Amino acid sequence: MAAILDGIPTDSRERDTRVEDYLNDKFQALGDLNNLDALLTTVQTQQSQLRDQLQEAETKADKARTAAKEHSKTVLIQAQLFRQEQEDIDRRLKATTSSETVQDAALEFEASMERLRRLDVAKGYMSLILEVNKLSEDARKQIQSDPKAALVPYNKLQHLSKSLKIRHEASESAAVHLVTFVEKTTSTLWDEMKNKLAGELQDELKKMGWPTPTVDLNKFPGFRKGFDKLLILQEPEIESGMKDKPLLSLEALVKSLELRFRYHFEGDRQTNRIDKPEWFLAHLITVITTYTPFLSTSIQPLLSASEIPHVSSRDAVNEFITALLPILRRKIHNLLPQILDQAQLLSHFIHEMIKFDAALRDEFSYVPYGEKGWKGVTHEVLTVEKGFTGWIKVEKEFALSRYQSILSADDAWVIDYDSTDPNDTKPTKSAIRLRDLLETITDRYRPLTSFSQRLRFLIDIQISILDQYLDRLQASVEAFKMLSSSIARAVQGTSKEELQSLSGISGLERLCKVYGSAMFLENCMRDWGEDIFFLELWEELQARAQKEQQSNSNKSLTGTMNVAEVASVISSAVVSGGDDGALFDETAEAYKQLRTKTEEMIAELLAGNMREELKAYSRITLWSSIYMDRTDSTVSPEIVPAAATLNIFLEFLSKTVATAVFRRVLRRLGTGIQSWMWDYVITRNKFSSAGGKQFSTDMSEIWNTCSKYVEDPTASMKMLKDVCVLLTLPISTSEGEAKPRLKEVVRAIFEDSDKAQAILAKLELANISVNDARIVLRGRVEAWT
């Protein structure tokens, strides 16, 4: 119990409370006193452990206090040493700079360090300049004897120049003069090496009598050495890909030819004329033609034997042309500013350039080495030199001027019967000339390689002119329609001359001019759509349009027109991606609509004129009064003018429109005549047997007229033919054994529908209904007497 009380607090109240709580916890029953010894043992053990921990803690605390005292002493000593050193540095700095204060001394020291840094930089500059000069001298020493060895220091110098420029840009242009010096030194070294070897080759060429094209190189071994040296010098550039740059060896060959060209076409000679570009272009073609044999037999073996991979596979004639083109480019660059504002000269120059490019492609198969194709010098003029805007403006003005002259010609709207196949619809002379103009324009821009430029020609010139011509045709049709309107005639009046031009052959010819012109140009556009040139342009247009749509780009395809705007002019298939589209879809469809509309007006004009001619025929009222059988085949006088007019119409149409169109119009006309006869003659009159025969004879006159132009003249009037059969049914069997009697037919027709159908079938009348047959037979006077 005493051991337990040793850990109890000294405060009596707190101690008593805690002791009481502890005892109450451990001794809750009388039996718990049996555990008293065990409890005392546990308490004594804990007291011993606490006593050991306290002793260990006191030991560590003593050591920590001792270490803290030692550290404080060390820090104090170091601080004293630092103050001493600082005072010593300040004293020395003052003594070195003779400054009154420490700050002044520090500034002077920094200035000294900056001077030292600059000295180091200057030393680096000098080292670099010395290295540059050494590399240059090494290259110069070896260029003549061993060009390949000379390339080693040159390549190092070139690499040094590039790396210096990169570091210069990274350091915010801190070494402008040094970079300029190294670049200039590198460029100068290259020019010196090139000129040195080129000069040697030029000396050999003089010995050979160059530019004589019949030189025997076997007599001049020095030429081959000089030729090979230039190739070796250019090897790094060749390996990296030169595009359209010429080989130095070929450049040396054309040097004297360049001087000759400049003498004739860049000086004061009469051959230097801005209105005669064909002279200097033809000169270059002649030069290439003249030297081709020499190049093939003498220069080609030198190239083929070269150990440089990208030289042995080159074509000598192609490389010769590549070396000549810079001469042409310089000439063009000087010539263009003089002719850009002169429309005719610019247009003439572009056309001659196109011919020149075509000659290089077709005659010499020219393609720069390593390229899949050649866009031509014309492309450079139009794109690089920005001559396209001026040229297309000139071409458009020329085309519109030619278009206006076509329309203003005296015979512009004369139908041309000789220029097309006899079975085709005949166009006007203006339509034929317009086709020729548009095909000429196509030939002018066909050689262009730029998609955008070709599309500009198509839209800005060709489709624009087609639209203008379409407007002219539509205006003619609308004017015809308005003047022929009864309302318009009543409101504004129509002169006698105008009325004559709207009816008869004059009106028909007027509509046929529009119809023939529209059909002709529509067919032309369909044919152009199948031309390989326009097919390729269409495919490229679709590919570009799809690419723009996939990228959701709204940039222009040509000029200022985006995909949607181009599609609205050319074809909706540009946007939809259909496989059946073509470049002239929208325009051709507009012409087709005009053609369809005009064809309807032609049919209506014919029907209207026939109605006028048949008015007198509709006034005949004696059909039922004719009781005597007519044995002759004389037609009614009233039908003769109508048949004559019909013959005139059909004769004109048969020569003017295609066979299929003629049949289509005649079918509609026949249907109209049939309807008119039904409404104004058949249903309004009673017919005796003789009257029916007379009507049938009159209809035969119409059909005989049509038979001159078609095999089956009754094809569009089959119901009318059946009517004639019913009107001519015999009254008795004596009048005709082949046909059933009139009353027999009437009885079957009016009895019931089945018998009516049967009797009509027996009579082979398949184009008239039972109801219409009853109407006709009600008009047979003998059937009801």
Coordinates of all heavy atoms in Angstrom, one line a residue, residues 252-302:
A252 N 27.9 26.9 -117.7 CA 29.1 27.4 -118.4 C 28.9 27.2 -119.9 O 29.4 28.1 -120.7 CB 30.4 26.6 -117.9
L253 N 28.3 26.1 -120.3 CA 28.1 25.9 -121.8 C 27.2 27.0 -122.4 O 27.4 27.4 -123.5 CB 27.4 24.6 -122.0 CG 28.3 23.3 -122.1 CD1 27.5 22.1 -122.3 CD2 29.4 23.5 -123.1
V254 N 26.2 27.4 -121.7 CA 25.2 28.4 -122.2 C 25.7 29.8 -122.0 O 25.0 30.8 -122.5 CB 23.8 28.2 -121.6 CG1 23.3 26.8 -121.8 CG2 23.8 28.6 -120.2
K255 N 26.8 30.1 -121.4 CA 27.3 31.4 -121.2 C 27.4 32.2 -122.4 O 26.9 33.4 -122.5 CB 28.6 31.4 -120.4 CG 29.1 32.7 -119.8 CD 28.2 33.1 -118.7 CE 28.6 34.4 -118.0 NZ 27.7 34.8 -117.0
S256 N 28.1 31.7 -123.4 CA 28.3 32.4 -124.7 C 26.9 32.5 -125.4 O 26.7 33.5 -126.1 CB 29.3 31.6 -125.6 OG 28.9 30.3 -125.8
L257 N 26.0 31.5 -125.3 CA 24.7 31.6 -125.9 C 23.9 32.7 -125.2 O 23.1 33.4 -125.8 CB 24.0 30.3 -125.8 CG 24.7 29.1 -126.4 CD1 23.9 27.8 -126.1 CD2 24.8 29.3 -127.9
E258 N 24.1 32.9 -123.9 CA 23.4 34.0 -123.2 C 23.9 35.3 -123.7 O 23.1 36.3 -123.9 CB 23.7 33.9 -121.7 CG 23.1 35.0 -120.8 CD 23.5 34.9 -119.4 OE1 24.3 34.0 -119.0 OE2 23.0 35.7 -118.6
L259 N 25.2 35.5 -123.9 CA 25.7 36.8 -124.5 C 25.1 37.1 -125.8 O 24.7 38.2 -126.1 CB 27.2 36.7 -124.6 CG 28.0 36.6 -123.2 CD1 29.5 36.4 -123.5 CD2 27.7 37.8 -122.4
R260 N 24.9 36.0 -126.6 CA 24.3 36.2 -128.0 C 22.9 36.7 -127.8 O 22.4 37.5 -128.5 CB 24.4 34.9 -128.8 CG 23.9 35.0 -130.2 CD 23.9 33.7 -130.8 NE 25.2 33.1 -131.0 CZ 25.5 31.9 -131.5 NH1 24.5 31.1 -131.8 NH2 26.7 31.5 -131.6
F261 N 22.1 36.0 -126.9 CA 20.7 36.4 -126.6 C 20.6 37.8 -126.2 O 19.7 38.5 -126.7 CB 20.2 35.4 -125.6 CG 18.7 35.6 -125.3 CD1 17.7 35.0 -126.0 CD2 18.3 36.5 -124.3 CE1 16.4 35.2 -125.7 CE2 17.0 36.7 -124.0 CZ 16.0 36.1 -124.7
R262 N 21.4 38.2 -125.2 CA 21.4 39.6 -124.7 C 21.7 40.6 -125.8 O 21.1 41.7 -125.8 CB 22.3 39.7 -123.5 CG 22.0 38.8 -122.4 CD 22.9 39.0 -121.2 NE 22.7 40.3 -120.5 CZ 23.3 40.6 -119.4 NH1 24.1 39.8 -118.7 NH2 23.1 41.8 -118.9
Y263 N 22.6 40.2 -126.7 CA 23.0 41.2 -127.8 C 21.8 41.4 -128.7 O 21.5 42.6 -129.1 CB 24.1 40.5 -128.6 CG 24.5 41.3 -129.8 CD1 25.2 42.5 -129.7 CD2 24.1 40.9 -131.1 CE1 25.5 43.2 -130.9 CE2 24.4 41.6 -132.2 CZ 25.1 42.8 -132.1 OH 25.4 43.5 -133.2
H264 N 21.0 40.4 -129.0 CA 19.9 40.5 -129.9 C 18.6 41.0 -129.2 O 17.8 41.7 -129.9 CB 19.6 39.2 -130.6 CG 20.6 38.8 -131.6 ND1 20.8 39.5 -132.8 CD2 21.6 37.8 -131.6 CE1 21.8 38.9 -133.5 NE2 22.3 37.9 -132.8
F265 N 18.4 40.6 -128.0 CA 17.0 40.8 -127.4 C 17.0 41.6 -126.1 O 15.9 41.8 -125.5 CB 16.4 39.4 -127.1 CG 16.3 38.6 -128.4 CD1 17.1 37.4 -128.5 CD2 15.4 38.9 -129.4 CE1 17.0 36.6 -129.6 CE2 15.3 38.1 -130.5 CZ 16.1 37.0 -130.6
E266 N 18.1 42.2 -125.7 CA 18.1 43.0 -124.5 C 18.9 44.3 -124.7 O 19.1 45.1 -123.8 CB 18.8 42.3 -123.3 CG 18.0 41.1 -122.9 CD 18.5 40.4 -121.7 OE1 19.4 41.0 -121.0 OE2 18.1 39.3 -121.3
G267 N 19.2 44.6 -126.0 CA 19.9 45.8 -126.3 C 19.1 46.7 -127.1 O 17.9 46.8 -127.1
D268 N 19.8 47.5 -128.0 CA 19.1 48.4 -128.9 C 18.9 47.9 -130.3 O 18.5 48.7 -131.2 CB 20.0 49.7 -129.0 CG 20.1 50.4 -127.6 OD1 19.2 50.3 -126.8 OD2 21.1 51.1 -127.4
R269 N 19.1 46.6 -130.5 CA 18.9 46.0 -131.8 C 17.4 46.0 -132.2 O 16.5 46.1 -131.3 CB 19.4 44.6 -131.8 CG 20.8 44.4 -131.3 CD 21.8 44.9 -132.4 NE 21.7 44.0 -133.5 CZ 22.5 44.2 -134.6 NH1 23.4 45.2 -134.7 NH2 22.4 43.4 -135.7
Q270 N 17.1 46.0 -133.5 CA 15.8 46.0 -133.9 C 15.0 44.7 -133.6 O 13.8 44.6 -133.6 CB 15.7 46.1 -135.5 CG 16.2 47.5 -135.9 CD 16.1 47.7 -137.4 OE1 15.9 46.7 -138.2 NE2 16.4 48.9 -137.9
T271 N 15.8 43.7 -133.2 CA 15.2 42.4 -132.8 C 14.6 42.5 -131.4 O 13.8 41.6 -131.0 CB 16.2 41.3 -132.9 OG1 17.4 41.7 -132.2 CG2 16.6 40.9 -134.3
N272 N 14.9 43.5 -130.7 CA 14.4 43.7 -129.3 C 13.1 44.5 -129.4 O 13.2 45.7 -129.1 CB 15.5 44.3 -128.4 CG 15.0 44.4 -127.0 OD1 14.1 43.6 -126.6 ND2 15.6 45.3 -126.2
R273 N 12.0 43.9 -129.6 CA 10.7 44.6 -129.7 C 9.7 44.0 -128.8 O 9.5 42.7 -128.7 CB 10.1 44.5 -131.2 CG 11.0 45.3 -132.2 CD 10.4 45.1 -133.6 NE 9.0 45.3 -133.7 CZ 8.3 45.3 -134.9 NH1 9.0 45.0 -136.0 NH2 7.0 45.5 -134.9
I274 N 9.0 44.8 -128.0 CA 8.1 44.3 -127.0 C 6.8 43.7 -127.6 O 6.1 42.9 -127.0 CB 7.7 45.4 -126.0 CG1 6.9 46.6 -126.7 CG2 8.9 46.0 -125.3 CD1 6.4 47.6 -125.8
D275 N 6.6 44.0 -128.9 CA 5.4 43.5 -129.6 C 5.7 42.2 -130.3 O 4.8 41.6 -130.9 CB 4.8 44.5 -130.5 CG 5.8 44.9 -131.6 OD1 7.0 44.8 -131.4 OD2 5.3 45.3 -132.7
K276 N 7.0 41.7 -130.2 CA 7.3 40.5 -130.9 C 8.0 39.5 -129.9 O 9.2 39.1 -130.1 CB 8.3 40.8 -132.0 CG 7.7 41.7 -133.2 CD 6.6 40.9 -133.9 CE 6.0 41.7 -135.1 NZ 5.0 40.9 -135.8
P277 N 7.3 39.0 -128.9 CA 7.9 38.1 -128.0 C 8.2 36.7 -128.7 O 9.1 36.0 -128.3 CB 6.9 37.9 -126.9 CG 5.6 38.3 -127.6 CD 5.9 39.4 -128.5
E278 N 7.5 36.5 -129.8 CA 7.7 35.2 -130.5 C 9.1 35.2 -131.1 O 9.6 34.1 -131.4 CB 6.7 35.0 -131.6 CG 6.7 36.1 -132.7 CD 5.7 37.3 -132.4 OE1 5.5 37.5 -131.2 OE2 5.2 37.9 -133.3
W279 N 9.8 36.3 -131.3 CA 11.1 36.3 -131.9 C 12.1 35.7 -130.9 O 12.9 34.8 -131.3 CB 11.6 37.7 -132.2 CG 10.9 38.3 -133.5 CD1 9.9 37.6 -134.2 CD2 11.0 39.5 -134.0 NE1 9.5 38.4 -135.2 CE2 10.1 39.6 -135.2 CE3 11.8 40.7 -133.8 CZ2 10.0 40.7 -136.0 CZ3 11.7 41.8 -134.6 CH2 10.8 41.8 -135.7
F280 N 12.1 36.2 -129.6 CA 13.1 35.6 -128.7 C 12.8 34.2 -128.3 O 13.6 33.4 -128.0 CB 13.4 36.5 -127.5 CG 12.3 36.8 -126.6 CD1 12.0 35.8 -125.6 CD2 11.5 37.9 -126.6 CE1 10.9 36.0 -124.7 CE2 10.5 38.1 -125.7 CZ 10.2 37.2 -124.8
L281 N 11.4 33.9 -128.2 CA 11.0 32.6 -127.9 C 11.4 31.6 -129.0 O 11.9 30.5 -128.7 CB 9.5 32.5 -127.6 CG 9.1 33.3 -126.4 CD1 7.5 33.4 -126.3 CD2 9.6 32.7 -125.1
A282 N 11.2 32.0 -130.2 CA 11.6 31.1 -131.3 C 13.1 30.9 -131.4 O 13.6 29.8 -131.7 CB 11.1 31.7 -132.6
H283 N 13.8 32.0 -131.0 CA 15.3 31.9 -131.0 C 15.7 30.8 -130.0 O 16.6 30.0 -130.3 CB 15.9 33.2 -130.6 CG 17.3 33.2 -130.3 ND1 18.3 33.1 -131.3 CD2 18.1 33.1 -129.2 CE1 19.5 33.1 -130.8 NE2 19.4 33.1 -129.5
L284 N 15.1 30.8 -128.8 CA 15.5 29.8 -127.8 C 15.1 28.3 -128.3 O 15.9 27.4 -128.1 CB 14.8 30.0 -126.5 CG 15.3 31.3 -125.7 CD1 14.4 31.5 -124.5 CD2 16.7 31.1 -125.3
I285 N 14.0 28.2 -128.9 CA 13.6 26.9 -129.5 C 14.6 26.4 -130.5 O 15.0 25.3 -130.6 CB 12.2 26.9 -130.1 CG1 11.1 27.2 -129.0 CG2 11.9 25.6 -130.8 CD1 11.0 26.0 -128.0
T286 N 15.0 27.4 -131.4 CA 16.0 27.1 -132.4 C 17.4 26.7 -131.8 O 18.0 25.7 -132.2 CB 16.2 28.3 -133.3 OG1 15.0 28.7 -133.9 CG2 17.3 28.0 -134.4
V287 N 17.8 27.4 -130.7 CA 19.0 27.0 -130.0 C 19.0 25.6 -129.5 O 19.9 24.8 -129.7 CB 19.3 28.0 -128.9 CG1 20.4 27.5 -128.0 CG2 19.7 29.4 -129.5
I288 N 17.8 25.2 -128.9 CA 17.7 23.9 -128.3 C 17.8 22.9 -129.4 O 18.4 21.8 -129.3 CB 16.4 23.8 -127.5 CG1 16.4 24.8 -126.3 CG2 16.2 22.4 -127.0 CD1 15.1 24.9 -125.6
T289 N 17.0 23.1 -130.5 CA 17.0 22.2 -131.6 C 18.4 22.0 -132.2 O 18.8 20.9 -132.6 CB 16.0 22.7 -132.7 OG1 14.7 22.9 -132.1 CG2 15.9 21.7 -133.8
T290 N 19.1 23.2 -132.4 CA 20.4 23.1 -133.0 C 21.4 22.3 -132.2 O 22.2 21.5 -132.8 CB 20.9 24.6 -133.2 OG1 20.0 25.3 -134.0 CG2 22.3 24.6 -133.9
Y291 N 21.4 22.4 -130.9 CA 22.4 21.8 -130.1 C 22.0 20.4 -129.5 O 22.8 19.8 -128.8 CB 22.8 22.7 -128.9 CG 23.6 23.9 -129.4 CD1 23.0 25.1 -129.7 CD2 25.0 23.8 -129.5 CE1 23.7 26.2 -130.1 CE2 25.7 24.9 -129.9 CZ 25.1 26.1 -130.3 OH 25.8 27.2 -130.7
T292 N 20.8 20.0 -129.8 CA 20.3 18.7 -129.3 C 21.2 17.6 -129.8 O 21.6 16.7 -129.0 CB 18.9 18.5 -129.7 OG1 18.0 19.4 -129.0 CG2 18.4 17.0 -129.4
P293 N 21.6 17.5 -131.1 CA 22.5 16.4 -131.5 C 23.9 16.4 -130.7 O 24.3 15.3 -130.2 CB 22.8 16.7 -132.9 CG 21.6 17.4 -133.4 CD 21.2 18.3 -132.2
F294 N 24.4 17.6 -130.5 CA 25.7 17.7 -129.7 C 25.5 17.2 -128.3 O 26.3 16.5 -127.7 CB 26.2 19.1 -129.8 CG 27.4 19.4 -128.9 CD1 28.7 18.9 -129.2 CD2 27.2 20.0 -127.7 CE1 29.7 19.2 -128.3 CE2 28.2 20.3 -126.8 CZ 29.5 19.8 -127.1
L295 N 24.4 17.7 -127.7 CA 24.1 17.3 -126.3 C 23.9 15.8 -126.2 O 24.4 15.2 -125.2 CB 22.9 18.1 -125.8 CG 23.0 19.6 -125.7 CD1 21.7 20.2 -125.6 CD2 23.9 20.0 -124.5
S296 N 23.2 15.2 -127.1 CA 22.9 13.8 -127.0 C 24.2 12.9 -127.2 O 24.3 11.9 -126.6 CB 21.9 13.4 -128.0 OG 20.7 14.1 -127.8
T297 N 25.0 13.3 -128.2 CA 26.2 12.5 -128.5 C 27.4 12.8 -127.7 O 28.3 11.9 -127.5 CB 26.5 12.7 -130.0 OG1 26.8 14.1 -130.3 CG2 25.3 12.2 -130.9
S298 N 27.6 14.1 -127.2 CA 28.8 14.4 -126.6 C 28.7 14.7 -125.1 O 29.5 14.3 -124.3 CB 29.4 15.7 -127.2 OG 29.7 15.5 -128.6
I299 N 27.6 15.4 -124.7 CA 27.4 15.8 -123.3 C 26.8 14.6 -122.5 O 27.1 14.4 -121.3 CB 26.6 17.1 -123.1 CG1 27.3 18.2 -123.9 CG2 26.4 17.4 -121.7 CD1 28.7 18.5 -123.4
Q300 N 25.8 14.0 -123.1 CA 25.1 12.9 -122.4 C 26.1 11.8 -121.9 O 25.9 11.4 -120.7 CB 24.0 12.3 -123.3 CG 23.2 11.2 -122.6 CD 22.4 11.8 -121.5 OE1 21.6 12.8 -121.6 NE2 22.5 11.3 -120.3
P301 N 27.1 11.4 -122.7 CA 28.0 10.4 -122.1 C 28.8 10.9 -120.9 O 29.1 10.1 -120.0 CB 29.0 10.1 -123.3 CG 28.1 10.4 -124.5 CD 27.3 11.6 -124.1
L302 N 29.1 12.2 -120.8 CA 29.8 12.7 -119.7 C 28.9 12.6 -118.4 O 29.4 12.3 -117.3 CB 30.2 14.2 -120.0 CG 31.2 14.4 -121.1 CD1 31.5 15.9 -121.2 CD2 32.4 13.6 -121.0

